Amino acid sequence: MPLIVAVAVGATLLLGSALRAADGQWTPAFEFNPAPNEQGWITTDHVQVKVAASINPDAVLGSSWLLAESPFYEADLISDSAGTQWTFPGLDDGTHYLTVQLLTRPRQWLKSAPYRLKVDVTPPPPPVELRAYDSLFSSKPLRADEPQSGTARPFFTWSAPVMEPGSPLSYYQIEWRATDAKEPLELRRDRAAAFFPGQALSQSGRYQLQVWTVDEAGWRSSMPATFYCRYERR
């Protein structure tokens, strides 16, 4: 489902009255359905954009909008419709710029500044190049599922996946557990691309580290990056 956030470019996104400048440019107050969450994202497969009630719809003689990949384009044609509400379905990942133009009584043109619509419809990929080392300060790599007798606190690193054109990384969701246990040993949320267990392992067994990518739109990678290791207590 598309996730869409509107941010003013060169202007402030107003929630109250619309402001009109002497040159005919105006900063509209847009209403969104559904409304954005606290981070400013709309989580649905389409969004309705409406000019707020500070402009009387009955005074609008015509309207037009333009959705472009650059903020340097503007709507320059007035349609036959006098609508002040538009629906945008099926937007692709990336940044889009919306400009709106209204023709109001008595024949006055109002042109909006461009508004940025940031769209993210795809969960991010999982982290890449997940590796394990013998300890925090060791450069000795561990091989997956190979028994280790002296590695009670392995050190893990990974790399961020390519996130574009979707939203950037917010954090990594990290889970460290014994593979036969119901409860994890540790759960973390961290922006660092590394993990060092808080405690040394005390029992022999097979353990796994799983790392998910979570982006700023709230999407989590559908699959984690996973590393399995075996510990044999001496």
Side-chain angles (χ1 to χ4, degrees), residues 18-28 108-111:
L19 301 179
R20 183 172 41 190
D23 61 1
Q25 277 230 343
W26 121 94
T27 302
Q108 181 168 13
W109 299 79
L110 298 179
K111 296 182 180 181

Side-chain angles (χ1 to χ4, degrees), residues 55-137:
I55 290 188
N56 182 2
D58 294 335
V60 177
L61 302 175
S63 65
S64 67
W65 57 265
L66 177 67
L67 196 64
E69 296 181 357
S70 169
F72 302 107
Y73 297 101
E74 64 179 28
D76 57 359
L77 296 175
I78 292 296
S79 66
D80 294 334
S81 170
T84 57
Q85 178 174 308
W86 307 273
T87 299
F88 302 104
L91 295 174
D92 295 329
D93 284 6
T95 301
H96 308 266
Y97 294 89
L98 172 67
T99 59
V100 174
Q101 186 172 219
L102 301 180
L103 179 59
T104 63
R105 303 178 191 275
R107 307 293 298 180
Q108 181 168 13
W109 299 79
L110 298 179
K111 296 182 180 181
S112 74
Y115 278 75
R116 185 170 60 196
L117 299 179
K118 296 176 64 177
V119 181
D120 187 351
V121 302
T122 309
V128 297
E129 300 177 348
L130 174 56
R131 297 186 174 97
Y133 299 89
D134 185 68
S135 63
L136 178 60
F137 300 107

Side-chain angles (χ1 to χ4, degrees), residues 8-219:
V9 178
T12 303
L13 179 60
L14 302 179
L15 299 180
S17 62
L19 301 179
R20 183 172 41 190
D23 61 1
Q25 277 230 343
W26 121 94
T27 302
F30 285 139
E31 296 177 355
F32 296 89
N33 183 23
N37 61 14
E38 292 181 357
Q39 290 73 37
W41 296 90
I42 296 174
T43 55
T44 183
D45 60 356
H46 69 281
V47 60
Q48 288 184 339
V49 181
K50 179 182 178 181
V51 177
S54 53
I55 290 188
N56 182 2
D58 294 335
V60 177
L61 302 175
S63 65
S64 67
W65 57 265
L66 177 67
L67 196 64
E69 296 181 357
S70 169
F72 302 107
Y73 297 101
E74 64 179 28
D76 57 359
L77 296 175
I78 292 296
S79 66
D80 294 334
S81 170
T84 57
Q85 178 174 308
W86 307 273
T87 299
F88 302 104
L91 295 174
D92 295 329
D93 284 6
T95 301
H96 308 266
Y97 294 89
L98 172 67
T99 59
V100 174
Q101 186 172 219
L102 301 180
L103 179 59
T104 63
R105 303 178 191 275
R107 307 293 298 180
Q108 181 168 13
W109 299 79
L110 298 179
K111 296 182 180 181
S112 74
Y115 278 75
R116 185 170 60 196
L117 299 179
K118 296 176 64 177
V119 181
D120 187 351
V121 302
T122 309
V128 297
E129 300 177 348
L130 174 56
R131 297 186 174 97
Y133 299 89
D134 185 68
S135 63
L136 178 60
F137 300 107
S138 173
S139 59
K140 177 185 176 182
L142 298 182
R143 295 182 180 179
D145 264 337
E146 184 176 283
Q148 306 289 331
S149 59
T151 307
R153 293 181 74 187
F155 177 60
F156 301 89
T157 66
W158 57 87
S159 298
V162 176
M163 308 285 286
E164 296 178 351
S167 59
L169 171 73
S170 178
Y171 60 87
Y172 297 106
Q173 182 177 325
I174 304 168
E175 182 177 290
W176 172 237
R177 67 163 62 235
T179 56
D180 59 354
K182 293 183 178 179
E183 298 295 328
L185 296 171
E186 291 188 50
L187 290 173
R188 292 188 193 176
R189 292 183 176 183
D190 204 329
R191 288 187 58 86
F195 172 75
F196 186 55
Q199 295 183 343
L201 299 175
S202 59
Q203 297 181 353
S204 299
R206 188 171 186 246
Y207 295 84
Q208 70 179 28
L209 180 74
Q210 292 185 302
V211 185
W212 290 264
T213 307
V214 181
D215 63 22
E216 289 187 356
W219 292 107

